Amino acid sequence: MRRLFPATLLVSAGAIGYELLLMRALSIVQWHHFAYMIISLALLGYGASGTFIALFKAQLEARFEAAFSTCALLFSIAMVLCFALGQRVPFNALEMVWDSRQFAYLSLLYLVFFVPFFFAACCIGLAFTCRRLDINRIYFFDLLGAGLGAVLVIGLLFVLITQNALLMLMTLPLIASLLMGIPSTARKPLMLAQVMWLALLISGIPQNHLGLRVSDYKGLSQALQVIDSRVLSVASSPLGLLTVVESPTVPVRHAPGLSFATRHIPSPQLAVFTDADGMSAITRFDGDLDPLGFLGDITAALPYTLLEQPEVLVLGAGGGGDVLLALYHEANSVDAVELNPQMTELVRETYAEFAGFVYDDPRVTVHTREARGFVAQSNAQYDLVHIGLLDSFGASGAGVQSLNESYIYTVEAINEYLGITAPGGLLAITRWLKLPPRDSLKLVATVIDALKLTGVSEPGQQLALIRSWNTSTLLVKNGPFTVDDVALIREFARSRSFDTAWFPGIQASDVNYFNRLDTPYLFDGTTALLGERAADYIARYKFYIEPATDNRPYYFHFFKWATLPEVFALRKLGGAGLIEWGYLVLIATLLQAIIAGLVLILLPLSRVARKWPARTGSRMGAYFLLLGFAFLFIEMAFIQKFILFLSHPLYAVAVVLSGFLVFAGLGSAWSQRFAHRCEAGGRSPVAMAAGSIALLALVYLFLLPFVFQRFIGNADLVKIVISVALIAPLAVAMGMPFPLGLKRVAETAPDFIPWAWGINGYASVISAVLATLLAIEFGFTFVILLALLIYAIAAAIFSMLPARQ
Amino acid sequence: MKLLTALLLFVSLLAFADDANYAAARAAMVEELWLYAQFVDDPDETRISDAVMASMNTVQRHELVPSSERRYSYENRPLPIGYGQTISQPYIVALMTKLIDVDADDMVLEVGTGSGYQAAILAELVDHVYSIEIIAALAIRAKQDLERLGYKNITTKLGDGYYGWEEHAPFDAIVVTAAASHVPPPLIEQLKPGGRMVIPVGERFMTQTLLLLEKTEKGEVITRQFGAVRFVPLTGEH
């Protein structure tokens, strides 16, 4: 038994570590969408293993150690094999609208990555099933392992690239297999298999197949196709894989929105890709400002026309382009905020000479912080708050980011930015311009809402919007624009062949001259959004342009079901780019979760004997189904909510997921004592637990924004501790209804136990994806309130379950 | 010997049947494009001319795509050609060709040879096409394919399209098929007054709009963007 506890811990750590590692790897080779798919398929592994163990319980119980050791070894092998295999699936999300085979490839990906989780879950499930007397301690080591696994993988990712972190991680289940293999009945064949796997690893053959195969259509792959281009350096951390590319023959020249009228050619640059996409440029600078003339001829230069020697805040400094823009325009001081310290290091140290030591300029102060956190804690007043263009045109189009939470462009965020803008100062945001407009208009709608919230009665007086053929720059002034301001804006735009789309007093004759659109979309849209029937305009617009909020921070989500049939029918006429494939991936993932759960969890269970009192089955089924939905709804909503606080999706997943696992586990362990106490007082323990969940969740709905605001600027470690402290009581309460129900089942209908696990697992698999979909459509508050309603119904059903005879 | 002759005959017949099949598929594709052409918003600007359609009916797209994609050659969709690049959707190629509105004696520059398909379509319409590609493998493959198909009025080179092709400038029309954050100033300089430049805007596989840049006789630059789609008015009823 002494071996079982560490073995359980190692497998559990390996499983959660692998989950996080896959999210990281798939963000690099594909895009961020797959995070929810991985949570769903990890749960599928656990659900399917429950069914598998229920079907072969007798055989497995007789050979417990051998079965555990075999599953742990297979988990170790599958971690490596499926990582390599998954990358060989020729899935191309961009082709989904053209090629139905892509849906089959997506399903194949889902199944390939399911396999390792299935074996990991078999180990844990076997330990619970076959060593029931030690179930509490097994549970403790399982949960401890989950917590340690999350910490371990985050730590590993700071020092190792993803594939090397995987090699470290796969040793955990291998050690577990060795531990459990020694006392097993199949010691010799197991040892042989373990030695062979070790020998294969030492030979280096598996490692040769683990290299990340980045999609051919991501920015990095495209850049490396250019003649003579090469990777100069790679820096990896959980915050992103940074790849610096040099292209001496065909220099990188990144200047979004450069005027047609310019005489300046952009200086040569180094390209920096984050997770193989989202290019940022480090511009060559030798102290001479003349070669930077192009910086005066981009739409993002507009605010500098209105300001003299401003104090500037650059949010999202990236490769330093916007800092250079500020210095070129004689900014008095520049505070540059960048989340990723490795990005800052590239500009400040690794390529400091190339970048002209721009971060060592006495006027520049670099802050390695998350933007919202910095702004929340800042007491300074800036003449200009500048948000640059850090995503690629491709990524901002066609739904690549539609599922990304972005807390930079929400109503609350805009208000915070305006809060640190000096009177008469400016907030400037540059976006790619897509036609028909989506994010440009959504931004206008968001800013108008933010201004109205602060009591501005005429928001139109404080807005100015110009556009080139592919970018738009929006200015929001802290106070109304003056006649002189307007004259300067008009002259800036006219002299650079940019079109004005809004300024106070604009006329229809002022728009759509240089870059002519069939309709002056931005002018018409801004006019409508400032008008009395703005809500009607938003409702009738073909794309979703309702302002993003912290409750629904999906700024890049423009999908409307009503528009889908029309744009799908038009795909052969050039309408393909209007279909948001990111959303389609989510829908496809939900469908495959529903089908895979049915096939791998519920259908095999039909072979298990079904003997329980009449009508009990449906009630018990409903109870465990509802619990699965409610638990995951709250957990997923918290993951997404905590991205704002913890600054990065991977941190949020690691902290929230392991926090919920550990504390729900503790709640589960305390559930019987809690039940005794409740029953002694004549109260239903499930109703009490559901009541506690409701109370805590409702308090959090009001409390979290204030807690986040107060502590967002603190160090990561402090924020993690606060997050765990917030999650703990809620998770403890959420950990109770399931074991309480299970105990009731064991007393009254023991044959239903595998079904209880299976049905609950099935609901979890689906709701991991469904929760994201609901959050996008209705917001986090809705998802949490829905979960509370579901808990209430589950508590009512529990009271109807037959009690012990 | 008889057996060999019979085998050769059989193979030739198969090849002939294959060519005939592709020709029929190509004709069907052009029919489809005609149908689409009826649906565009602005018939004068974007209705595809007979000459362009004839060119679309002549160029053997299946000879310019990787063998794995050949069976989809005449479907109206973009196809992967390797190296993270695509061969554009035929409808988009036809529309781009129409938008630059070339005459037979025009000099045309293409930036981004890719598969060579757009160059071949243009070569059916004008005296000479110059085409630049920055991906070495694609440049070599397109050059070989275009030579094999007998195009003598296309000159290709491997290199940086940002600076255009100075020794053959100015051009009557320029087609930029490579994605860029901005229109390179040297290309605008190499466009003749009255000349036209067209750029597809959007993600791979997902062209969203076509940017038509016109240089007036005075040298002023005006652009127009064409949504390739005939979209129900944006604020219309759903």
Side-chain angles (χ1 to χ4, degrees), chain A residues 481-728:
Chain A
F481 280 108
T482 63
V483 174
D484 289 347
D485 290 339
V486 169
L488 287 168
I489 292 167
R490 295 179 72 154
E491 177 52 26
F492 175 88
R494 192 202 58 74
S495 61
R496 291 163 178 81
S497 302
F498 297 143
D499 285 285
T500 47
W502 184 262
F503 54 76
I506 195 168
Q507 303 294 316
S509 56
D510 293 320
V511 305
N512 216 19
Y513 178 75
F514 295 104
N515 303 281
R516 294 176 191 166
L517 309 176
D518 52 356
T519 307
Y521 293 110
L522 289 183
F523 170 68
D524 287 353
T526 308
T527 308
L529 290 168
L530 285 164
E532 286 180 0
R533 301 188 62 193
D536 185 45
Y537 180 83
I538 289 173
R540 285 151 58 93
Y541 200 72
K542 292 280 174 178
F543 300 97
Y544 186 82
I545 54 164
E546 190 91 36
T549 62
D550 282 356
N551 185 43
R552 284 175 80 185
Y554 299 98
Y555 175 71
F556 298 100
H557 169 66
F558 313 109
F559 182 90
K560 267 189 175 177
W561 280 104
T563 310
L564 181 63
E566 189 181 347
V567 290
F568 191 75
L570 291 171
R571 72 192 190 286
K572 290 196 168 184
L573 281 137
L578 303 174
I579 302 171
E580 281 189 65
W581 65 262
Y583 202 81
L584 293 182
V585 170
L586 187 68
I587 300 292
T589 306
L590 179 64
L591 290 178
Q592 68 191 17
I594 290 170
I595 295 166
L598 209 60
V599 172
L600 294 169
I601 303 176
L602 294 187
L603 282 184
L605 272 180
S606 57
R607 292 184 55 197
V608 177
R610 278 178 283 178
K611 280 183 269 172
W612 46 74
R615 292 175 66 191
T616 304
S618 56
R619 284 179 188 167
M620 287 181 173
Y623 178 74
F624 288 102
L625 188 80
L626 292 174
L627 288 188
F629 278 117
F631 190 100
L632 260 293
F633 279 2
I634 291 183
E635 190 178 44
M636 296 302 292
F638 266 63
I639 289 176
Q640 287 156 321
K641 252 180 148 20
F642 274 71
I643 290 173
L644 168 63
F645 189 51
L646 296 169
S647 311
H648 194 274
L650 198 75
Y651 288 166
V653 173
V655 171
V656 177
L657 209 60
S658 52
F660 267 98
L661 276 173
V662 171
F663 289 98
L666 288 176
S668 171
W670 291 334
S671 62
Q672 295 314 317
R673 242 181 289 171
F674 179 74
H676 288 313
R677 219 177 287 171
C678 290
E679 280 159 1
R683 293 184 295 267
S684 159
V686 173
M688 291 299 291
S692 311
I693 296 166
L695 185 69
L696 284 164
L698 289 173
V699 168
Y700 284 179
L701 278 180
F702 293 102
L703 193 68
L704 284 185
F706 298 106
V707 175
F708 287 180
Q709 174 85 8
R710 171 70 186 80
F711 295 103
I712 197 168
N714 284 68
D716 285 342
L717 194 64
V718 176
K719 289 196 287 185
I720 288 170
V721 171
I722 292 170
S723 304
V724 172
L726 286 166
I727 288 164

Side-chain angles (χ1 to χ4, degrees), chain B residues 46-148:
Chain B
T46 48
R47 177 161 289 166
I48 298 159
S49 67
D50 291 357
V52 173
M53 282 301 191
S55 175
M56 299 292 292
N57 206 2
T58 308
V59 177
Q60 300 180 50
R61 194 174 187 242
H62 67 277
E63 293 286 356
L64 297 168
V65 301
S67 54
S68 60
E69 304 295 331
R70 200 161 279 174
R71 64 194 150 139
Y72 308 115
S73 302
Y74 295 106
E75 288 185 13
N76 180 28
R77 53 175 270 201
L79 294 169
I81 57 168
Y83 312 98
Q85 306 301 310
T86 53
I87 182 170
S88 296
Q89 185 180 356
Y91 180 73
I92 298 291
V93 173
L95 209 52
M96 286 171 65
T97 313
K98 160 63 189 156
L99 285 173
I100 52 168
D101 194 20
V102 287
D103 292 325
D105 57 353
D106 279 354
M107 297 272 274
V108 181
L109 172 68
E110 182 191 28
V111 177
T113 315
S115 65
Y117 183 59
Q118 175 74 71
I121 294 286
L122 287 165
E124 298 284 342
L125 299 166
V126 300
D127 279 354
H128 209 96
V129 179
Y130 295 91
S131 186
I132 309 170
E133 173 58 54
I134 52 171
I135 299 174
L138 282 180
I140 294 165
R141 193 169 77 189
K143 184 178 167 60
Q144 287 169 349
D145 284 346
L146 292 168
E147 280 173 4
R148 179 170 51 80

Side-chain angles (χ1 to χ4, degrees), chain B residues 9-32:
Chain B
L9 190 64
F10 181 67
V11 171
S12 328
L13 276 172
L14 275 183
F16 180 73
D18 213 28
D19 281 348
N21 283 341
Y22 281 125
R26 190 160 56 245
M29 178 191 80
V30 171
E31 276 297 306
E32 194 185 334

Side-chain angles (χ1 to χ4, degrees), chain A residues 312-317 334-341 344 348 359 364-371 374 378 380 382:
Chain A
V312 180
L313 171 66
V314 172
L315 294 176
V334 185
D335 278 343
V337 179
E338 169 58 41
L339 171 65
N340 191 340
T344 304
R348 174 175 270 163
Y359 280 2
V364 177
T365 312
V366 183
H367 307 266
T368 306
R369 296 273 290 280
E370 192 275 331
F374 179 86
S378 174
Y382 295 95

